[in-house]
Amino acid sequence: MYRTIKDFAENWDRESQATIIVFNNLTDDSLSQKVTEEGRSLGIIAWHTTQTLSELTEHAKIPIDSTADKEEIPDNIADIVSIYERDSKAVGEIVKASWADEQLDDEIEMYGQKMKKGFVLAVLIAHQTHHRGQITVLMRQAGLRVPGIYGPAKEDWKELGMPAVA
């Protein structure tokens, strides 16, 4: 849970950039990659991550100006990245403009539950981090390079001249 808007904003900027890095390692052909036939594809997960920015802020009563939740899934990663970049920037701006540190303990109703605003901000971060993890698994299956976000990825260790962690 966040106690200051500044802490959230700094973390949001880092995490949004991490999501953009991961998305930029996807290819148009990889968007159909699934773990199982009935599972979500890379494209669906990336699009869901993008759409949720407007959905969550709408439920938190600080809606961003986005149409992503009403649009069909783009068939190319460039469009997903573009919309994600626009909407993630808008999320950071709307939170800073709408909420203050002293309001972060205030409760709001979201999805039938009462949540503190500071917790809602943590959910925004955790949600996209969760889906980035799913995306990186599918990226490996699709033969794509997984970028190191919180430390070196398998390929990074080799390039650093060190053995990959088993």
Side-chain angles (χ1 to χ4, degrees):
M1 188 167 107
Y2 287 94
R3 299 284 179 202
T4 69
I5 298 297
K6 179 179 183 269
D7 286 348
F8 166 76
E10 289 172 358
N11 198 20
W12 182 252
D13 288 344
R14 275 191 308 274
E15 292 299 316
S16 295
Q17 283 305 311
T19 299
I20 291 166
I21 289 167
V22 169
F23 283 5
N24 278 327
N25 276 268
L26 300 176
T27 64
D28 294 345
D29 288 340
S30 74
L31 296 179
S32 62
Q33 180 69 41
K34 294 181 178 183
V35 172
T36 63
E37 191 58 40
E38 58 279 343
R40 287 179 170 179
S41 69
L42 262 173
I44 289 171
I45 297 169
W47 187 235
H48 167 73
T49 303
T50 301
Q51 287 182 310
T52 305
L53 300 177
S54 58
E55 178 195 329
L56 281 171
T57 54
E58 176 85 22
H59 283 279
K61 312 289 189 280
I62 52 170
I64 61 172
D65 184 20
S66 176
T67 58
D69 59 338
K70 295 166 189 66
E71 295 177 27
E72 291 295 318
I73 181 171
D75 61 1
N76 65 79
I77 192 58
D79 287 348
I80 295 173
V81 170
S82 176
I83 295 166
Y84 177 85
E85 285 177 321
R86 178 196 69 203
D87 287 2
S88 66
K89 181 179 180 197
V91 167
E93 290 170 354
I94 197 74
V95 169
K96 289 187 276 190
S98 303
W99 289 356
D101 294 349
E102 57 273 6
Q103 297 174 315
L104 295 179
D105 275 332
D106 294 352
E107 288 188 335
I108 58 174
E109 186 158 327
M110 285 186 62
Y111 304 107
Q113 301 175 25
K114 294 238 182 237
M115 297 181 192
K116 291 184 178 189
K117 289 180 176 180
F119 179 72
V120 170
L121 298 178
V123 168
L124 273 165
I125 300 271
H127 180 264
Q128 74 174 357
T129 304
H130 159 72
H131 288 303
R132 271 199 329 255
Q134 291 178 316
I135 289 169
T136 60
V137 170
L138 290 168
M139 288 173 75
R140 285 264 182 245
Q141 289 183 323
L144 301 176
R145 182 183 177 118
V146 173
I149 299 296
Y150 300 117
K154 179 177 79 172
E155 296 85 356
D156 299 328
W157 286 109
K158 185 176 182 180
E159 289 171 4
L160 293 168
M162 302 170 72
V165 177

